[in-house]
Amino acid sequence: LPTSPSGHISPRAIIDDLSSRGVRHVMVEGGPATALAFLEEGVVDRAIIVRAPVTFLEPVPSGMNEEMLSRAGLEKVDVEGHSG
């Protein structure tokens, strides 16, 4: 598969390649950068987002929010264990 100048493979290219091989369902597991790449390319039809109960001294924003999900055509339907 072709890569970008930064060495990344496009999520769309990954999904298109798997689809051409008959794969119809894919589970992607990764951190926020991986999730955002798939969301931004519009190749997600369902997402289950799990946050670890960890507090970082210097948190890095993930960019994962309801606006991002909405731009990807997704809607937040439920939150379990959310404490605020």
Side-chain angles (χ1 to χ4, degrees):
L1 294 173
T3 59
S4 69
S6 61
H8 295 103
I9 299 172
S10 158
R12 168 69 62 196
I14 293 168
I15 297 301
D16 289 348
D17 181 69
L18 291 171
S19 180
S20 75
R21 299 166 189 256
V23 176
R24 299 291 173 246
H25 302 279
V26 176
M27 183 180 101
V28 176
E29 184 176 354
T34 300
L36 285 173
F38 278 79
L39 287 167
E40 288 171 347
E41 291 203 21
V43 294
V44 177
D45 62 5
R46 179 173 45 172
I48 299 171
I49 300 169
V50 178
R51 286 193 213 177
V54 176
T55 302
F56 294 96
L57 294 175
E58 295 183 33
V60 177
S62 69
M64 192 74 62
N65 56 38
E66 286 187 59
E67 180 184 337
M68 167 54 74
L69 296 176
S70 178
R71 284 197 312 264
L74 301 174
E75 176 186 349
K76 184 168 84 171
V77 294
D78 193 12
V79 177
E80 288 186 25
H82 183 66
S83 59

